Amino acid sequence: MAAVRAGSVGGRQDPTTLPIPVVTADRRRRKRRGRRALVVLLIVLVVLAALAVVAYVVGERVFRSTAEAQIEQTVAQRLPAGVTGEVDARIGDGSALLQYLQGSFDDVTLTSRGLRVAGAPASAVVHVAGLPVAGGAIERATADLTIDQAAFRAVPALRNAGASAPQLGNGTVSTTLTRTFLGLDLKVAVRLKPSLTDQTVRLTPTSATLTAGPATIPATAIVQQLLPDGVSVCAASYLPRGVELTSVAVRPREAVVRLTARDVDLNTLDSAQTGSCG
């Protein structure tokens, strides 16, 4: 009888037992180095991205500041005749650089607290949409202009009516009309109410008082004879074509007017013809 080999049962041989794989020290070191390289690469990418963001933010701020300064200089050089002062420009939200590359700034706000109009103090806030970077026509703009009452002394329509030293109050304009009748100087203190029709500001008498020597009497009927149509000021004659007066409000010692503009060419704004009233 044949001898049975050790490790066999019933004459069958057990499969050969395979050795357990062993990770060598070199392979472990290579894996660790690979992980470290990946971590270093990620750190470098994060740092580069952070530096790119910082560079963009700094560059954006520098460009925005430069662009705003250029806008301020351009506006100051093209102020209408009789208007002087400095203007502060602010480019609206969003990247100023990207807006510049697109050819226009979406929203620009111009403010000034030190203007002088006809020698009188004034302030303005202007919002411009679609301001072209190389000049040309703006899309649209609105402006709120606050003017001291001293500027109204130079309005020809008031001078021609014999009005002196107009005083602005709550919704009214007060002035004095001087007339000579039979050798007597008659002074009529009149109160006028402003209104806007098309581009014409109308000052309509609402009350009046006549002073003749020591006597003072109501004179509403008289002033209606002196100023049957009130006083009319053509606002369009003071504004470049394409710029319109949309509202006027009078309050103590100053007037606030709102202007709108659309498709006005900035390159010709300072020399553009003024409008007219129909």
Side-chain angles (χ1 to χ4, degrees):
M1 184 174 176
V4 179
R5 292 184 181 179
S8 64
V9 178
R12 290 179 301 173
Q13 183 178 359
D14 292 338
T16 304
T17 302
L18 298 177
I20 298 175
V22 177
V23 178
T24 65
D26 289 341
R27 293 182 63 186
R28 288 196 296 270
R29 283 195 293 270
R30 284 197 297 270
K31 287 186 176 181
R32 286 197 295 269
R33 284 198 297 267
R35 286 195 295 269
R36 284 199 298 268
L38 180 60
V39 171
V40 170
L41 177 60
L42 290 175
I43 292 174
V44 169
L45 291 177
V46 170
V47 171
L48 290 177
L51 290 176
V53 171
V54 171
Y56 172 79
V57 171
V58 173
E60 168 71 17
R61 289 179 179 175
V62 172
F63 179 83
R64 180 182 294 271
S65 178
T66 302
E68 290 172 344
Q70 182 61 44
I71 294 172
E72 292 168 358
Q73 181 180 357
T74 301
V75 172
Q77 292 173 347
R78 294 178 177 173
L79 289 175
V83 179
T84 60
E86 296 182 356
V87 177
D88 178 74
R90 287 290 179 269
I91 298 173
D93 294 337
S95 170
L97 180 57
L98 292 180
Q99 293 179 57
Y100 177 84
L101 294 176
Q102 292 171 357
S104 65
F105 295 111
D106 297 333
D107 180 26
V108 176
T109 301
L110 306 171
T111 58
S112 177
R113 305 297 178 191
L115 289 177
R116 296 194 71 82
V117 176
S123 62
V125 179
V126 183
H127 297 283
V128 182
L131 177 66
V133 299
I138 62 173
E139 291 182 10
R140 63 186 181 277
T142 60
D144 291 313
L145 181 62
T146 303
I147 312 171
D148 188 85
Q149 66 183 9
F152 294 86
R153 298 174 184 173
V155 176
L158 290 173
R159 290 205 312 265
N160 295 338
S164 61
Q167 304 289 317
L168 306 186
N170 287 317
T172 61
V173 179
S174 300
T175 187
T176 300
L177 306 179
T178 302
R179 296 291 189 273
T180 300
F181 181 73
L182 298 177
L184 296 176
D185 288 334
L186 303 180
K187 295 185 181 299
V188 181
V190 59
R191 182 169 294 178
L192 307 164
K193 183 178 181 179
S195 62
L196 179 64
T197 303
D198 295 329
Q199 290 298 289
T200 299
V201 178
R202 302 190 184 280
L203 300 173
T204 305
T206 58
S207 62
T209 302
L210 171 64
T211 301
T216 300
I217 58 175
T220 302
I222 295 175
V223 80
Q224 289 175 348
Q225 294 296 321
L226 296 176
L227 298 174
D229 299 320
V231 178
S232 296
V233 180
C234 178
S237 64
Y238 295 91
L239 302 173
R241 291 186 182 275
V243 180
E244 295 184 350
L245 177 65
T246 57
S247 68
V248 56
V250 175
R251 58 196 189 195
R253 300 190 61 83
E254 62 187 18
V256 181
V257 299
R258 168 158 285 197
L259 307 172
T260 62
R262 186 177 293 273
D263 299 328
V264 174
D265 192 342
L266 297 178
N267 292 331
T268 61
L269 185 60
D270 53 348
S271 60
Q273 293 183 340
T274 57
S276 59
C277 297

